[in-house]
């Protein structure tokens, strides 16, 4: 009888851990550095911009999704206040697996964007995720580079 009870307890604990490993919260923060190009109008106002660069992310708030992950992002935007910044990031997790996200941020509202996962490899194949994203630009220490603090906050579900 003791073995049956122990087996039931082990099974219950294993299935609870297994379920927790397949969905949860995302709370990532990190620093972006990259290259940017822009086209300006005759008054010096940016009209269209493109950028690519890397973000190193750490998990916060008791979460572990994407902790110590590297994100390579490519994005673009148009006329400030009238357009949308959008792009894709490939996330390289610490185990080498990847996920790709798509994001949109209304220009002029850099802290109020949205993101969603669109694909993944390995453990993250079939991932579904969504949430909010944004950034705060920083003065860069190296001319010709762009620098910002970035965040992702939301939920994810992994394929079972």
């Amino acid at each position: 009888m003791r073995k049956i009870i122990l087996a039931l307890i082990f099974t219950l604990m294993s299935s609870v851990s297994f379920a927790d490993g397949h969905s949860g919260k995302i709370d990532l923060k990190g620093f972006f550095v990259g290259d940017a190009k822009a086209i300006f109008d005759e008054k010096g106002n940016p009209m269209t911009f493109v950028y690519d660069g890397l973000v190193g992310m750490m998990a916060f708030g008791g979460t572990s999704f994407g902790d110590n992950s590297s994100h390579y992002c490519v994005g673009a935007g148009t006329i400030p206040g009238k357009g949308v910044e959008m792009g894709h990031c490939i996330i390289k997790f610490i185990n080498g697996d990847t996920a790709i996200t798509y994001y949109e941020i209304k220009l002029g509202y850099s802290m109020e964007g949205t993101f969603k996962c669109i694909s993944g490899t390995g453990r993250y194949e079939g991932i579904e995720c969504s949430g909010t994203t944004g950034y705060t630009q920083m003065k860069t220490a190296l001319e010709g580079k762009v620098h910002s603090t970035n965040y992702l906050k939301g939920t994810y579900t992994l394929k079972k």
Side-chain angles (χ1 to χ4, degrees):
M1 183 68 163
R2 180 182 267 170
K3 288 181 182 180
I4 293 172
I5 292 172
L6 287 173
L8 286 172
I9 290 171
F10 177 76
T11 301
L12 180 61
M13 288 174 60
S14 295
S15 62
V16 167
S17 296
F18 184 75
D20 287 344
H22 288 283
S23 66
K25 294 186 182 289
I26 299 170
D27 189 358
L28 296 171
K29 294 179 178 81
F31 292 97
F32 173 86
V33 65
D35 297 308
K37 293 182 173 118
I39 293 177
F40 298 90
D41 69 10
E42 65 281 351
K43 295 179 184 175
N45 299 311
M47 300 305 292
T48 299
F49 59 89
V50 296
Y51 58 86
D52 73 312
L54 292 165
V55 186
M57 292 283 206
M58 293 178 61
F60 285 86
T63 66
S64 61
F65 179 90
D67 193 33
N68 294 314
S69 58
S70 177
H71 301 226
Y72 173 64
C73 302
V74 176
T78 60
I79 306 170
K82 297 181 181 177
V84 175
E85 177 181 342
M86 64 182 95
H88 290 88
C89 296
I90 184 165
I91 302 170
K92 179 77 84 163
F93 295 96
I94 200 161
N95 70 353
D97 293 342
T98 63
I100 296 178
T101 60
Y102 170 77
Y103 62 90
E104 284 188 9
I105 303 170
K106 185 176 177 185
L107 291 175
Y109 299 91
S110 67
M111 291 297 285
E112 300 176 20
T114 60
F115 77 93
K116 66 180 179 177
C117 287
I118 57 174
S119 68
T121 64
R123 179 171 190 237
Y124 302 95
E125 184 176 344
I127 187 173
E128 293 180 9
C129 76
S130 62
T132 58
T133 188
Y135 63 91
T136 301
Q137 288 210 284
M138 302 170 65
K139 292 203 181 284
T140 182
L142 181 60
E143 191 173 326
K145 299 288 182 186
V146 290
H147 203 173
S148 63
T149 57
N150 292 45
Y151 83 92
L152 291 172
K153 195 167 187 112
T155 58
Y156 72 93
T157 302
L158 301 178
K159 189 164 109 176
K160 293 181 182 182

